[in-house]
Amino acid sequence: MCRWMVYVGDPLVVENLLFRPVHSLIDQSLHSRLGVETTNGDGFGIGWYGLGAIPAVFKDINPAWNDPNLREIARQIRTPLLFAHIRASTGTPVQRSNCHPFRHGRWLWMHNGAIVRFAELKRDLMSVVDPSLYPEIEGSTDSEALFYLALTYGLAEDPPGAVARAVGLVEDLGRRRGVPRPVQMTVATSNGESLWIFRYSSEGRTRSLYYSTDVEQLQKLYPEVEVLRELGPATRFVVSEPLRDLPGAWKEVPESSWAVIGPGGHKIRPLTPIGPG
Amino acid sequence: MCRWMVYVGDPLVVENLLFRPVHSLIDQSLHSRLGVETTNGDGFGIGWYGLGAIPAVFKDINPAWNDPNLREIARQIRTPLLFAHIRASTGTPVQRSNCHPFRHGRWLWMHNGAIVRFAELKRDLMSVVDPSLYPEIEGSTDSEALFYLALTYGLAEDPPGAVARAVGLVEDLGRRRGVPRPVQMTVATSNGESLWIFRYSSEGRTRSLYYSTDVEQLQKLYPEVEVLRELGPATRFVVSEPLRDLPGAWKEVPESSWAVIGPGGHKIRPLTPIGPG
Amino acid sequence: MCRWMVYVGDPLVVENLLFRPVHSLIDQSLHSRLGVETTNGDGFGIGWYGLGAIPAVFKDINPAWNDPNLREIARQIRTPLLFAHIRASTGTPVQRSNCHPFRHGRWLWMHNGAIVRFAELKRDLMSVVDPSLYPEIEGSTDSEALFYLALTYGLAEDPPGAVARAVGLVEDLGRRRGVPRPVQMTVATSNGESLWIFRYSSEGRTRSLYYSTDVEQLQKLYPEVEVLRELGPATRFVVSEPLRDLPGAWKEVPESSWAVIGPGGHKIRPLTPIGPG
Amino acid sequence: MCRWMVYVGDPLVVENLLFRPVHSLIDQSLHSRLGVETTNGDGFGIGWYGLGAIPAVFKDINPAWNDPNLREIARQIRTPLLFAHIRASTGTPVQRSNCHPFRHGRWLWMHNGAIVRFAELKRDLMSVVDPSLYPEIEGSTDSEALFYLALTYGLAEDPPGAVARAVGLVEDLGRRRGVPRPVQMTVATSNGESLWIFRYSSEGRTRSLYYSTDVEQLQKLYPEVEVLRELGPATRFVVSEPLRDLPGAWKEVPESSWAVIGPGGHKIRPLTPIGPG
């Protein structure tokens, strides 16, 4: 089970986000409590929007807690939009090209979950990927496949629709191949302006996904937490499990839903897979 | 341009093969003279038949000359059949799953060359791979794709026929897509009993491939070369460029040919691609 | 807290030792139960006696559970004497030269524990290392320093005496510098013929160390454990925590003791530090 | 033979410095022409002054040309003062702690050259390092030893004097130990405000070191070189070999000299080693 986090808000030095909160992603990778696996040591990655329109990614196969370069750059980068992911492999190789977030042009994508029995479904799923996109696939994971299916279905124009179609394709193919519950996912994707998040599983029991509530309220509740004071009112965190033990700070994203957080505020809507044909 | 070498003969400690010859693979990776690229620092691998029927592979993305573990195990492994490969990436990621040799069951495979404009052809080539084999593909190279196409076409039963069909498929697809000379390859493959080698390119100007002549003759010509004295009469080397400067020691594999070296001696035959349909 | 294991016995394929036992070293690195740290992901190493008199070491900074090369070579190496170690760094860099086992000529050495406040003591300790040995030190750990101090004090001639003097030096220097309990250690060292193990701490509360009892008795008690059946009567395991849950199979090495296991049987004796001067 | 480069000037995106110039450091690592070794593939590092007073370092043991993370962060970092170094090991392990630049507080340090027969001199040189500095030494190179000797001798207060004393110590010790020409070095060091460079060898035949002349003159001479147009008048490059083939653009730092480039302009002075005692 992977872990991921998104920060949206005023530009902030990445170190504050990754290393300062008591129960940061790095800590979670060593001391995760809710996950099936006891450790997430199969690579990590961060992605952020900084100089230029194309986001940057920094990914490596070392455990995040061992990577001195991660600590170095975390002190040097300010960003209004950060993705962070720690991977627990479910079988595909531990290699940089399998680490999240994935990038295509201005888009970032990261995923926790699985396409169940992906090895059996992969060949057919890949044959649906648009020929112009196909050569960009560098790794071998279900997560990257899902990204390129969503891109094929128009992620750049209609993110919720594209993801609904990608999910619908996997549901349809999976069931035809005897995989009763093929999809398990929480996903974050962004173009640098808005952030879309998705929580969905075939069985309706999806891994956890939370977003932070009003920061001002948090600041009042927890005046002793220094990092909170630096955060502007538009700040939002989305996390695969709560970032710290702050009761009242987190709301769960409902089952089978998507949400968008952007310049026009945020909204949450149901996610209904759209089957092919 | 990659480099590769095969040793077939009496069981020998790998160190003698990789580190002792003056112009060994390791040296070549630093001081290659014939190649387009001046350095082969994009990963390396060795494969060998030892304990059990399944060959072992040791592959890493460090430059071979920097890998202390390679030197350690080279002193501890004896084998009658060694593959060694040093990679120069032509664009696909530098990751272990893209390093040669590739393995499937008892089979090893390594390649120097390219499927030209592979990114454009990959999706269609992959759709030909047998569904039962497809999930085993871990990397993203043209070399591994060629291996799985050959496996799909019956490598285990008829290696020359299977490779001829794999090559024929690439030739056919490439030309239909406007790639006039899609194939450039020297290949070695083995099941642990026999070794098959291939030299072929669409344009008939394939990268070099040599095999060693009679060892006894070599021993007489170069009595001062210690490692030669340890080699039995059945020893054969196959190399992508000559292993040492031993005039008279090497014969070039002819253009558009395959050869087999095995318990029943060796033979060389023409390679004629077999197109699909 | 590191983990380590030694196997002494009939030549055995390493895979059986590292990957087969239910509670193997690899498992421990993910699911350790007794340690302070919940994970040992800061590098690993194995050392073994095989071809030639000089032992081989295979060490890397990846987590052991992620290293496909470790699995490959574990299937290809047979040895009568294996060291295996999984590191949890206490601050020194995660780099191969800090991974155990350390080697000097025919000697292997590995350690769990610490020289307390080593940074303060290091300069003076290093100045005691014999000038002919000093240049061989590659890493920066207390464990390697202890090894070179023991070598300086004659490890090759009298292992228990040399370790007693190395420990005595650290005790003496530490106390003069205001470190009340400077030594915490379990150590294994070998020349390929005998194995010496040490359990000692300044405070007399040393981390755990166990050795296996009679194998025949084990085989009778646990007839269903397949790997036990392959082990000869002279087999001994020494482990920093029990290798599997086999009640009655393990005896604790007493506090402040050393033991030797060799061709002439084994014995256990008290370890009394010998101070300098 | 290592390669290094310093950029001082208006804040510039690192990508322009590392990847854009035709004959950049990265290119040099593959196609070096003047060096003894044909390749510099034993690790690399960059150091820069950015957010905060403490400079950042990004160092890795992969070849620089293979590191996708280097390309990513190079597009995201702007700095007025960049160190870049590509290492060719002369024997010490290829590990991050041996990569340049080294850092202590606000100071960066990088070196090309060697303390000749360092293994024999190391123990005595290290015993001179200030006890409060000693614990910070992480690697095993002569370059880092030289840095800590200079720090011991007051680098922060008087860089030229401190380096003269460090060099004098090595000269003195080396000659007493029968090393006739112990020092070979070009060095760059900075506190983020000024840059000091050194060129010195015992034999008076030091490896090359160049600095760039007036940028405006360069811009007139080479109007077609786009990156030159972005550079302000205060820009200076210092390189271990010329960064591009721009005749008239580079001046050689004289033998046995040091120079400082800072807010008050620059000056060049002779470097005379100051022996101990």
Side-chain angles (χ1 to χ4, degrees):
Chain A
M1 196 161 124
C2 304
R3 314 271 163 202
W4 59 258
M5 182 197 80
V6 182
Y7 167 79
V8 191
D10 294 327
L12 206 60
V13 176
V14 168
E15 184 184 34
N16 289 311
L17 295 166
L18 290 186
F19 297 102
R20 294 286 168 78
V22 174
H23 190 224
S24 73
L25 259 193
I26 300 297
D27 286 325
Q28 286 179 33
S29 76
L30 275 170
H31 305 287
S32 63
R33 294 168 304 175
L34 304 179
V36 173
E37 302 85 15
T38 52
T39 290
N40 294 55
D42 299 338
F44 72 90
I46 60 173
W48 70 95
Y49 293 85
L51 300 180
I54 307 297
V57 293
F58 179 87
K59 315 199 285 189
D60 212 333
I61 60 173
N62 300 315
W65 67 86
N66 275 349
D67 197 307
N69 287 330
L70 178 63
R71 292 206 168 240
E72 293 288 327
I73 67 163
R75 281 196 283 264
Q76 296 295 326
I77 289 165
R78 291 168 63 90
T79 182
L81 184 35
L82 175 76
F83 279 42
H85 189 278
I86 295 194
R87 187 172 178 238
S89 170
T90 49
T92 42
V94 175
Q95 57 194 23
R96 187 182 186 277
S97 63
N98 284 346
C99 291
H100 307 224
F102 301 98
R103 176 181 58 196
H104 172 76
R106 302 174 63 153
W107 289 82
L108 289 178
W109 174 278
M110 63 185 173
H111 170 233
N112 176 26
I115 296 178
V116 178
R117 287 160 59 187
F118 177 58
E120 297 165 48
L121 308 180
K122 183 175 182 184
R123 187 166 165 276
D124 285 354
L125 291 174
M126 297 306 264
S127 72
V128 177
V129 172
D130 190 272
S132 70
L133 294 167
Y134 186 94
E136 286 187 32
I137 298 175
E138 290 201 329
S140 53
T141 61
D142 48 1
S143 304
E144 193 184 20
L146 213 48
F147 181 31
Y148 277 85
L149 289 172
L151 287 165
T152 297
Y153 285 127
L155 184 70
E157 290 77 40
D158 172 16
V163 172
R165 276 190 288 272
V167 167
L169 176 76
V170 180
E171 292 277 20
D172 181 72
L173 178 67
R175 280 160 190 179
R176 282 192 285 120
R177 293 291 173 79
V179 183
R181 294 161 185 151
V183 180
Q184 170 66 252
M185 73 176 211
T186 64
V187 161
T189 190
S190 177
N191 59 1
E193 290 172 7
S194 294
L195 168 72
W196 289 264
I197 57 175
F198 300 85
R199 185 175 182 219
Y200 179 82
S201 60
S202 308
E203 54 188 313
R205 291 160 53 111
T206 312
R207 294 171 175 195
S208 64
L209 189 62
Y210 299 89
Y211 62 101
S212 62
T213 53
D214 187 78
V215 167
E216 288 180 49
Q217 183 187 339
L218 279 177
Q219 289 163 336
K220 282 178 204 145
L221 275 168
Y222 306 96
E224 78 285 5
V225 182
E226 196 179 343
V227 75
L228 291 178
R229 271 175 264 154
E230 303 171 34
L231 302 177
T235 299
R236 286 290 178 277
F237 288 98
V238 186
V239 292
S240 62
E241 64 175 311
L243 195 64
R244 287 183 46 113
D245 299 319
L246 298 176
W250 301 100
K251 286 190 182 160
E252 194 164 28
V253 177
E255 274 290 345
S256 303
S257 300
W258 62 269
V260 61
I261 298 168
H266 75 280
K267 60 179 178 185
I268 300 184
R269 293 286 180 275
L271 176 71
T272 308
I274 303 171
Chain B
M1 197 162 122
C2 304
R3 315 271 163 202
W4 60 258
M5 180 196 82
V6 182
Y7 167 80
V8 191
D10 295 327
L12 207 61
V13 176
V14 168
E15 184 184 35
N16 289 311
L17 296 165
L18 290 187
F19 297 101
R20 294 286 168 78
V22 173
H23 191 223
S24 73
L25 258 194
I26 300 295
D27 286 326
Q28 286 179 34
S29 77
L30 276 170
H31 307 287
S32 63
R33 293 168 305 175
L34 304 179
V36 174
E37 302 86 13
T38 53
T39 289
N40 293 55
D42 298 338
F44 72 90
I46 61 173
W48 70 95
Y49 294 85
L51 299 181
I54 306 298
V57 295
F58 178 88
K59 315 200 284 191
D60 212 333
I61 61 173
N62 301 314
W65 67 85
N66 275 349
D67 197 307
N69 287 330
L70 178 63
R71 293 207 169 239
E72 293 289 326
I73 67 163
R75 281 196 283 264
Q76 295 296 325
I77 290 165
R78 292 168 63 90
T79 181
L81 184 35
L82 175 75
F83 279 42
H85 188 277
I86 295 193
R87 186 170 178 240
S89 170
T90 50
T92 42
V94 175
Q95 57 194 23
R96 188 181 186 275
S97 63
N98 284 347
C99 291
H100 309 224
F102 302 98
R103 175 180 59 195
H104 173 76
R106 302 175 63 153
W107 289 83
L108 289 178
W109 174 279
M110 63 185 173
H111 169 235
N112 177 27
I115 296 179
V116 178
R117 288 162 56 188
F118 176 57
E120 296 167 47
L121 308 179
K122 184 175 181 183
R123 187 166 164 275
D124 285 354
L125 291 174
M126 297 306 264
S127 73
V128 176
V129 172
D130 189 274
S132 70
L133 294 167
Y134 186 94
E136 285 187 33
I137 298 175
E138 290 200 328
S140 53
T141 62
D142 48 0
S143 304
E144 193 185 20
L146 214 47
F147 181 29
Y148 277 86
L149 289 172
L151 286 166
T152 297
Y153 286 127
L155 183 69
E157 291 76 41
D158 172 17
V163 172
R165 276 190 287 272
V167 168
L169 175 76
V170 180
E171 292 277 20
D172 180 72
L173 177 67
R175 279 160 190 177
R176 284 192 284 121
R177 293 291 172 79
V179 184
R181 294 160 184 151
V183 180
Q184 170 67 252
M185 71 176 213
T186 64
V187 161
T189 189
S190 178
N191 58 2
E193 290 172 7
S194 294
L195 168 72
W196 289 264
I197 57 176
F198 300 86
R199 185 177 182 218
Y200 180 81
S201 59
S202 309
E203 55 189 312
R205 292 160 52 111
T206 312
R207 294 170 175 197
S208 65
L209 188 62
Y210 300 89
Y211 61 101
S212 63
T213 53
D214 187 78
V215 167
E216 288 180 50
Q217 183 187 338
L218 278 178
Q219 288 163 337
K220 282 179 203 142
L221 275 168
Y222 307 96
E224 78 284 5
V225 181
E226 197 180 342
V227 73
L228 291 178
R229 272 176 263 153
E230 303 170 34
L231 303 177
T235 299
R236 287 291 177 277
F237 288 99
V238 186
V239 291
S240 62
E241 65 175 312
L243 195 64
R244 285 184 49 111
D245 300 319
L246 297 176
W250 300 100
K251 286 190 180 159
E252 194 164 28
V253 177
E255 274 289 346
S256 303
S257 299
W258 62 269
V260 61
I261 298 168
H266 74 280
K267 60 180 177 184
I268 300 184
R269 294 287 180 277
L271 177 71
T272 309
I274 303 171
Chain C
M1 196 161 121
C2 305
R3 315 271 164 202
W4 60 259
M5 181 196 81
V6 182
Y7 167 80
V8 191
D10 295 327
L12 206 61
V13 175
V14 169
E15 183 184 34
N16 289 311
L17 296 165
L18 290 186
F19 296 102
R20 293 286 168 78
V22 173
H23 191 224
S24 73
L25 258 193
I26 300 296
D27 286 326
Q28 286 179 33
S29 77
L30 276 170
H31 306 288
S32 63
R33 293 166 305 174
L34 304 179
V36 173
E37 302 86 14
T38 52
T39 290
N40 294 54
D42 298 339
F44 73 90
I46 61 173
W48 71 96
Y49 294 86
L51 300 180
I54 306 297
V57 294
F58 179 87
K59 315 199 285 189
D60 212 333
I61 60 173
N62 301 315
W65 67 86
N66 274 350
D67 198 306
N69 287 330
L70 178 62
R71 293 205 169 241
E72 293 288 328
I73 68 162
R75 280 195 284 264
Q76 295 296 325
I77 289 165
R78 292 168 64 89
T79 182
L81 185 35
L82 174 76
F83 279 42
H85 189 277
I86 296 194
R87 187 171 177 241
S89 170
T90 50
T92 43
V94 175
Q95 57 194 23
R96 187 182 187 275
S97 63
N98 284 347
C99 291
H100 308 224
F102 301 98
R103 175 180 59 195
H104 173 76
R106 302 174 62 153
W107 289 82
L108 289 178
W109 174 278
M110 63 185 173
H111 170 234
N112 177 27
I115 295 178
V116 177
R117 287 159 59 186
F118 177 58
E120 296 167 48
L121 308 179
K122 183 175 182 184
R123 186 166 165 274
D124 286 354
L125 291 174
M126 297 307 265
S127 72
V128 177
V129 173
D130 190 273
S132 70
L133 293 168
Y134 187 93
E136 286 187 32
I137 298 175
E138 291 201 329
S140 52
T141 62
D142 48 1
S143 304
E144 193 184 20
L146 214 47
F147 181 30
Y148 277 86
L149 289 172
L151 286 165
T152 296
Y153 286 127
L155 183 70
E157 290 76 41
D158 172 15
V163 172
R165 275 190 288 272
V167 167
L169 176 76
V170 179
E171 292 277 19
D172 181 71
L173 178 66
R175 280 162 189 177
R176 283 192 285 121
R177 294 291 172 78
V179 184
R181 294 162 185 150
V183 180
Q184 170 65 253
M185 72 176 212
T186 63
V187 160
T189 189
S190 178
N191 59 1
E193 289 172 7
S194 294
L195 168 72
W196 289 265
I197 57 176
F198 299 85
R199 184 176 182 219
Y200 179 82
S201 59
S202 309
E203 55 188 314
R205 292 159 52 110
T206 313
R207 294 171 175 196
S208 63
L209 187 63
Y210 300 90
Y211 61 101
S212 63
T213 53
D214 188 78
V215 166
E216 288 179 51
Q217 183 187 337
L218 279 178
Q219 289 164 336
K220 281 179 204 146
L221 275 168
Y222 306 96
E224 77 285 4
V225 181
E226 197 179 343
V227 74
L228 291 178
R229 272 175 263 154
E230 303 171 35
L231 303 176
T235 299
R236 285 292 176 277
F237 288 98
V238 186
V239 292
S240 62
E241 65 175 312
L243 196 63
R244 300 184 32 119
D245 299 321
L246 297 176
W250 300 100
K251 286 190 181 159
E252 195 165 27
V253 177
E255 274 290 346
S256 303
S257 301
W258 62 269
V260 61
I261 298 168
H266 74 281
K267 61 178 178 187
I268 300 184
R269 293 287 180 276
L271 177 71
T272 309
I274 302 172
Chain D
M1 197 162 120
C2 305
R3 315 271 164 202
W4 59 259
M5 180 196 82
V6 182
Y7 167 80
V8 190
D10 294 327
L12 207 61
V13 176
V14 168
E15 183 184 35
N16 289 312
L17 296 165
L18 290 187
F19 297 102
R20 293 287 167 76
V22 173
H23 190 225
S24 74
L25 259 194
I26 300 296
D27 286 327
Q28 285 179 34
S29 77
L30 276 170
H31 307 288
S32 64
R33 293 167 306 175
L34 303 179
V36 174
E37 302 86 13
T38 53
T39 288
N40 294 56
D42 299 339
F44 72 91
I46 61 173
W48 71 96
Y49 294 85
L51 300 181
I54 306 298
V57 294
F58 179 87
K59 315 200 284 191
D60 212 333
I61 60 173
N62 301 314
W65 66 85
N66 275 350
D67 197 306
N69 287 331
L70 178 62
R71 294 206 168 240
E72 293 289 327
I73 67 163
R75 280 195 284 264
Q76 296 295 327
I77 289 165
R78 292 167 64 89
T79 181
L81 183 37
L82 174 76
F83 279 43
H85 188 276
I86 295 193
R87 186 171 178 239
S89 170
T90 51
T92 42
V94 176
Q95 57 195 23
R96 189 182 186 275
S97 63
N98 284 346
C99 291
H100 308 224
F102 300 99
R103 175 181 59 195
H104 173 75
R106 302 174 62 152
W107 289 82
L108 290 178
W109 174 278
M110 64 185 171
H111 170 234
N112 177 27
I115 295 178
V116 177
R117 288 161 57 187
F118 177 58
E120 297 167 47
L121 307 180
K122 184 175 181 183
R123 186 165 164 277
D124 286 354
L125 291 174
M126 297 306 264
S127 73
V128 177
V129 172
D130 190 272
S132 70
L133 294 167
Y134 187 93
E136 286 188 32
I137 298 175
E138 291 200 327
S140 52
T141 63
D142 49 0
S143 304
E144 192 185 20
L146 215 46
F147 181 29
Y148 277 86
L149 289 172
L151 287 165
T152 296
Y153 286 127
L155 183 70
E157 290 77 41
D158 172 16
V163 172
R165 276 190 287 271
V167 167
L169 175 76
V170 180
E171 292 278 19
D172 180 71
L173 178 67
R175 279 160 190 177
R176 284 192 284 122
R177 294 290 173 78
V179 184
R181 294 161 185 152
V183 180
Q184 170 66 251
M185 70 175 214
T186 64
V187 160
T189 189
S190 178
N191 59 1
E193 290 171 7
S194 294
L195 167 72
W196 289 265
I197 57 175
F198 300 86
R199 185 177 183 218
Y200 179 81
S201 59
S202 309
E203 56 188 312
R205 291 160 52 110
T206 313
R207 294 170 176 197
S208 63
L209 188 62
Y210 300 89
Y211 62 100
S212 62
T213 54
D214 187 78
V215 167
E216 288 179 50
Q217 183 186 337
L218 278 177
Q219 289 164 336
K220 283 179 203 143
L221 276 167
Y222 306 96
E224 77 284 5
V225 181
E226 196 180 342
V227 74
L228 291 178
R229 271 175 265 154
E230 303 171 34
L231 302 176
T235 299
R236 285 293 177 277
F237 288 99
V238 186
V239 292
S240 62
E241 65 175 310
L243 196 64
R244 290 185 44 115
D245 300 320
L246 297 177
W250 299 100
K251 285 189 182 161
E252 195 165 27
V253 177
E255 274 290 346
S256 303
S257 300
W258 63 269
V260 60
I261 299 167
H266 75 280
K267 61 179 177 184
I268 300 184
R269 293 288 180 276
L271 176 71
T272 309
I274 302 172

